[in-house]
Amino acid sequence: MPERPNGTVSKTVVGVCLPWVQIPPLPPFGLADAGSTYPVTVADAMVSDTDAMRVALQQALHAESHGDVPVGAVVVHDGRVIAEACNEREVRHDPTAHAEVLVLRAAAERLGRWRLDDCTLYVTLEPCSMCAGAIVNSRVGTVVFGAADLKAGAMGSLYNLAADPRLNHEPVVRHGVMAAESSGLLQRFFAEKRAET
């Protein structure tokens, strides 16, 4: 199996186990025997909230491997993952390259339309105001996030753009899915950054 620079396995593997956080492996969905180690992607099967968030967590690990804040996102359409992304601000030298913005662009391109009202966005951290604006403007039907962001969250913590009646769209928002795993990645990342200085 291909290894990433930081020792995590590639995103095509269904589970990642790290010393600081456990991301349980996904079930094989009948695509491989229960005892098989054959890599199965979530895009091959219908997914639950937890399954989709596991893929987002794998994307978050990828962001961390290139020095970005570990945030990952996926878009699900008709029960299948159609787009995956992670923060790429450091890689692209682009302040707007948040996981949510990148995954919304990829989903819109994949579907051939900008309206994503029949899609669900899963993201490991509560979207900021920029990302919440992109979510509202792309008409995402549902947003599911893991960890709350008390300093910059714009879907309930600091602001709530998803429930502002003055805007032309109000997505359904669910939170707390795999919140401990999501916040664990972020806490470890920032603890290491503080230790470096």
Side-chain angles (χ1 to χ4, degrees):
M1 267 178 245
E3 290 281 321
R4 289 199 182 121
N6 68 351
T8 60
V9 291
S10 85
K11 70 178 181 175
T12 57
V13 178
V14 296
V16 177
C17 181
L18 302 171
W20 60 89
V21 63
Q22 173 94 21
I23 303 172
L26 297 173
F29 297 110
L31 299 173
D33 294 334
S36 172
T37 57
Y38 179 80
V40 180
T41 61
V42 173
D44 295 329
M46 301 293 278
V47 296
S48 68
D49 284 354
T50 303
D51 296 332
M53 194 60 78
R54 285 180 182 139
V55 177
L57 282 163
Q58 290 172 345
Q59 283 294 316
L61 291 169
H62 184 60
E64 182 181 39
S65 75
H66 52 71
D68 270 290
V69 175
V71 176
V74 300
V75 171
V76 172
H77 177 257
D78 289 338
R80 300 190 185 284
V81 173
I82 62 164
E84 305 174 23
C86 64
N87 274 358
E88 294 187 1
R89 292 186 307 170
E90 299 297 331
V91 171
R92 295 177 183 229
H93 309 290
D94 178 356
T96 68
H98 287 202
E100 299 95 312
V101 171
L102 298 176
V103 81
L104 291 175
R105 288 177 183 162
E109 185 174 334
R110 173 98 186 253
L111 294 174
R113 56 187 163 88
W114 65 268
R115 289 182 183 269
L116 303 176
D117 55 325
D118 55 351
C119 294
T120 301
L121 168 69
Y122 293 86
V123 60
T124 58
L125 180 65
E126 180 180 358
C128 68
S129 56
M130 175 185 70
C131 295
I135 289 164
V136 168
N137 283 308
S138 63
R139 312 295 197 268
V140 170
T142 303
V143 177
V144 180
F145 67 84
D149 186 350
L150 302 179
K151 293 182 179 179
M155 293 217 146
S157 291
L158 188 60
Y159 304 105
N160 196 351
L161 293 182
D164 189 332
R166 297 170 296 178
L167 299 176
N168 61 354
H169 178 68
E170 294 179 27
V172 173
V173 177
R174 297 195 307 269
H175 58 86
V177 176
M178 300 191 80
E181 293 85 349
S182 298
S183 63
L185 284 174
L186 291 160
Q187 288 169 359
R188 187 190 55 76
F189 176 81
F190 287 113
E192 289 179 359
K193 288 292 182 189
R194 284 189 297 273
E196 291 173 5
T197 58

